[in-house]
Structure formats: structure tokens, C-alpha cells
Amino acid sequence: MSIDKTSTPAGASAEDRAVENPDAASAAVTAVDPRLLVREQGLAGYVDEFKRKMKAGDLGSLPVVVGLLIIWAIFTSLNSNFLTAGNFSDMSVAMVGTGMIAVGIVFVLLLGEIDLSVGSVSGVAGATFAVLSVTHGMNEILALICAVLTGTVAGAIHGFVFARIGVPAFAVTLAGLLFWQGFMLQILGDNGTINLDSEGVVVKLTSYYFSDVAAAYGLAIVVTAGYFLTAFFDNRRREAAGVPSRPLNEIIVRTALLAVLAFAVAFVFNQYKGLPLAVVIFLAFLLLTDFVLRRTAYGRKVFALGGSVEASRRAGINVELVRISVFAIAGTFAAIGGLFVASKIASANQGAGTGEFLMNVIAAAVIGGTSLFGGRGRTWDALLGVMVIVSIQYGLALEGIASPVQYMITGGVLLATVVIDAVTRKTQKTAGRA
């Protein structure tokens, strides 16, 4: 029997076996994903990275931002009042109710599911608060908490039926849409409308403004400084771990761009009534939910389920618990959004959460960039999407264009977004990234 002298002796050490082929070993060590070297190549690296993303269909929020700028440019050219301080402030407040509910929808879409009940749940929350605080004289803070918990319980019920019993989410939440709408009509009674206290807590959510100019500029400073510190210390941790990180000059450039945007918005707010409380609350929830999704183990589980349920189950993730919790989150944000909607009109009525409201909520999440197929999206998508929808609504209203045309245009934008999403997924599969 012949012996292969080139083979590694059985008793050889791990170190000897590792250097058996020095050239191959060297190549294995030095081979680095080109995407990780972008920041070391300066401007040329970023140009190459942009081209790579375009070819791979990884467009991110770019189409939405470009689309929003085009919408603003068109409506500003048609009517000079579109981007005035007063109209901009009104749009910012008006988008909070829909945007809050869209944040919850983002969580559900990340699983690759849908929740059709959020419109009705939002109406139930507003009605619950009105009945408890106005009809029964309950303390407003306690009534507000009960209203929010109503949404949490409703969402948890939907999630339980979906996750434990196995009924498709579409069917469960469609039934929920009808049930909660009927429940809202029942508790509102024959009158159908309950006016809220104009000086109460809920109405103040959208009617209160921080009139001191220092408030808006102070928030701009906090946001800018917070971003810089977060990016800086995250960079330090990456450097300590020996992984690629952003150079300091890139962080400074990004911070400077954010500062320009933040102070420009603050300036516009201060030209009208000041900083709206509703906008502050919305931004706080966006930051909180973004942190949960991107920085916590729970967020990684949500993304994992959207990618592959079976792989997540084999990885030890409690699929049922995560699904129930996500629908409970969606119900909670539906309730919060419903309170903002009730605040805007200072009443709870039978029309809350009906009509095109549900479609606007889902459209906001999808238009913002959250994939209908699951596993891709951010809560900031809700902000971008609702800005597009509200801009279209306000722009067309200024031109005196009827609601049917508004529906058609919004539907067209939604269809275009879904088409882009589908094409993006196909492109990514072709590029081997999905």
C-alpha cells in the first residue's frame, strides 16, 4: 500500500495543518468583502458602492425621498402656499395619527403578514376614551391608559388566533375589522358623536405648541448631538472589535447634513405657532421603536421571522410569542393613533377609522419602504410614507381637486411602490442577496 507523502501526518498539530498551503491560507485571511472597504476608498469608494446597490436593487429610502421632493416641487409650483410655515405645521400635526398606526403596521409587515383591523381598533380607542372620560367622568389619564390597553388587548387576541390556532392573519384581522367597528358603534350609542373637552389631555395632544423658539431649536440641537454621539461611540466600539468603521470626517459630514435639516424644520415651525407637541411625541416613538428593532434581541427575532419562519423556529425562537407580541404592538399603536385622530377633531364619532383611513395607514408603511414580503423595513418608513400621503392630500386640497382624484393618485403611488418592491426583490435574488 502506498503512502501519500503530501498528506498531513495524523499527529501533526493544528498550526502545522493550518499552514499546509500558505498561499491559500494567506488568501483566506486577506479576502474581505469589498463593501467593507468603501469607507477606506474615499469618494470613489462611495460611488462604486452606489453603483453596486443600484445593480443589486438595494435602493433603500432613495426613491421615497426623491419622490417626496418631486411632490413638494410640483405642488409648490402650483400653489405658493403649499410649503408656507402654517401649511407645513398643519401637515406635520395631521400626519401623526396615521403615522402612529403605520408604525405598528411596520412591525406586522416585517413578519410578512397584514393587519386589517387597525383602523377599527383606532376608532374603538377614541370611543373608549370619550365614553370613560366624558360620559362616565373618569380621570382623563386613567381613561387614556384604558383606551391604549384596549388596543393592546385587541391586537393580542388577533395574534393569539393567528399564532396558536393557525388562522391566516388576513382572515383574523378582517373579522376584527368588522367586530371592532361594530363594538365602537355600540359603545358610542345612538348619538354617535361625543365631543371631547377642548382643554383636556387628549385634545392638547394636537392643539398644544411650544411657542418659545428655544423649544424647536433645542430639539434640533438634541437630535443632532444625539446622532453624533451615537455614531461616534458606535464607531469606537467597532474599532475596538476590529471591524470596519466610519472615519470621523464622514460622521461629521452626516451630522452637519442632519443639523441643516433639523434647524431648517425648527425655523419653519417657529414662523408659525412653534413646535407642535404631537410631532415631539411622534419622533420619540420613532426613536424608541427604531432602537427596539435594530438594537435589541427582540428586534432581531422579528426580522428573522420575516426572513424564514422555519429557520427561526430551528434557531430556538419562540415563534408564537413573537407573533402575538407583534400584533399586540400593532394594536397598541392603533390605539395611540386613534387618540391623536380624536384629538385632531376634538371628538369621537362613528366615522373614526373607516373609509380610506385603513388604506392610507397601510400605504404609508409600504410607500415608506417596508416590504410587503417581510424581513425588510424600518419604523422610519412610516414617517416617510405618511409624509408622501399627507403631502398629496394637502396639495390636492389646495388646488380644489375632488376626493376621487385624491384616491386615484394615492392608489397609483401605492401601486408604483409595490411594483418597485417586487422588482427590487427579483433583482436582489438575481444578485444572490435574497
Side-chain angles (χ1 to χ4, degrees):
M1 181 178 68
S2 63
I3 299 176
D4 185 1
K5 295 182 180 181
T6 63
S7 62
T8 305
S13 66
E15 183 177 344
D16 292 336
R17 289 194 298 271
V19 297
E20 177 183 350
N21 191 337
D23 294 335
S26 176
V29 172
T30 58
V32 180
D33 188 338
R35 290 174 293 179
L36 301 179
L37 301 176
V38 170
R39 300 180 182 106
E40 299 176 6
Q41 298 172 356
L43 180 60
Y46 283 101
V47 172
D48 292 339
E49 174 71 355
F50 178 76
K51 292 179 180 178
R52 182 194 64 77
K53 287 185 175 182
M54 291 292 290
K55 291 180 181 179
D58 186 8
L59 303 178
S61 300
L62 180 63
V64 188
V65 174
V66 172
L68 183 61
L69 293 176
I70 293 174
I71 290 170
W72 284 359
I74 292 173
F75 285 124
T76 301
S77 66
L78 294 175
N79 193 319
S80 59
N81 292 323
F82 178 72
L83 281 183
T84 58
N87 197 56
F88 181 82
S89 182
D90 288 344
M91 286 194 300
S92 300
V93 175
M95 73 182 187
V96 173
T98 304
M100 282 287 191
I101 306 176
V103 170
I105 286 293
V106 168
F107 276 81
V108 177
L109 291 178
L110 287 174
L111 295 183
E113 302 296 340
I114 193 67
D115 189 341
L116 300 177
S117 69
V118 289
S120 297
V121 172
S122 69
V124 167
T128 300
F129 174 83
V131 169
L132 292 178
S133 64
V134 178
T135 306
H136 297 289
M138 180 183 287
N139 176 271
E140 284 200 339
I141 298 297
L142 184 58
L144 186 149
I145 294 173
C146 290
V148 173
L149 290 178
T150 299
T152 306
V153 172
I157 293 173
H158 300 154
F160 178 85
V161 176
F162 164 58
R164 295 297 298 272
I165 301 179
V167 180
F170 178 89
V172 174
T173 57
L174 179 59
L177 181 154
L178 299 173
F179 177 85
W180 296 116
Q181 186 172 343
F183 183 73
M184 176 187 68
L185 298 177
Q186 181 67 31
I187 63 177
L188 283 175
D190 296 334
N191 186 30
T193 300
I194 300 177
N195 295 322
L196 303 179
D197 180 6
S198 60
E199 297 298 322
V201 174
V202 168
V203 174
K204 288 290 186 182
L205 289 175
T206 55
S207 65
Y208 185 81
Y209 292 77
F210 297 97
S211 57
D212 192 334
V213 295
Y217 290 129
L219 180 61
I221 293 173
V222 170
V223 170
T224 303
Y227 173 81
F228 175 79
L229 293 175
T230 300
F232 179 78
F233 286 111
D234 181 62
N235 214 44
R236 294 286 295 273
R237 287 192 295 269
R238 294 176 68 85
E239 289 177 352
V243 296
S245 57
R246 291 191 179 103
L248 181 60
N249 59 356
E250 181 186 338
I251 296 177
I252 293 175
V253 170
R254 287 171 175 261
T255 303
L257 293 175
L258 177 61
V260 171
L261 177 62
F263 278 92
V265 173
F267 175 79
V268 173
F269 281 145
N270 283 333
Q271 301 308 301
Y272 187 54
K273 295 180 180 180
L275 177 65
L277 173 63
V279 172
V280 176
I281 297 175
F282 188 31
L283 289 176
F285 273 110
L286 286 173
L287 288 170
L288 174 63
T289 51
D290 180 68
F291 176 83
V292 169
L293 283 178
R294 296 198 305 115
R295 302 286 184 174
T296 66
Y298 174 78
R300 289 190 287 273
K301 292 176 182 178
V302 172
F303 279 104
L305 257 66
S308 173
V309 175
E310 186 57 33
S312 300
R313 184 177 284 110
R314 293 183 179 184
I317 296 175
N318 189 331
V319 174
E320 292 181 354
L321 181 60
V322 173
R323 282 175 163 174
I324 293 172
S325 67
V326 164
F327 277 88
I329 290 172
T332 301
F333 275 96
I336 295 172
L339 292 173
F340 275 92
V341 172
S343 171
K344 184 67 177 174
I345 61 177
S347 68
N349 60 49
Q350 295 177 340
T354 60
E356 79 281 3
F357 185 74
L358 172 63
M359 292 300 101
N360 284 340
V361 168
I362 297 175
V366 177
I367 290 173
T370 301
S371 176
L372 281 170
F373 303 98
R376 178 169 61 82
R378 305 172 304 164
T379 53
W380 290 100
D381 294 339
L383 173 61
L384 288 173
V386 77
M387 287 176 68
V388 170
I389 290 177
V390 172
S391 296
I392 292 174
Q393 291 175 341
Y394 269 67
L396 295 177
L398 284 176
E399 294 302 306
I401 297 177
S403 295
V405 179
Q406 295 184 27
Y407 297 159
M408 289 187 287
I409 293 177
T410 303
V413 173
L414 176 59
L415 177 61
T417 304
V418 175
V419 169
I420 291 174
D421 184 26
V423 172
T424 296
R425 284 179 59 84
K426 289 182 179 180
T427 306
Q428 289 178 340
K429 286 182 179 181
T430 303
R433 300 190 60 208

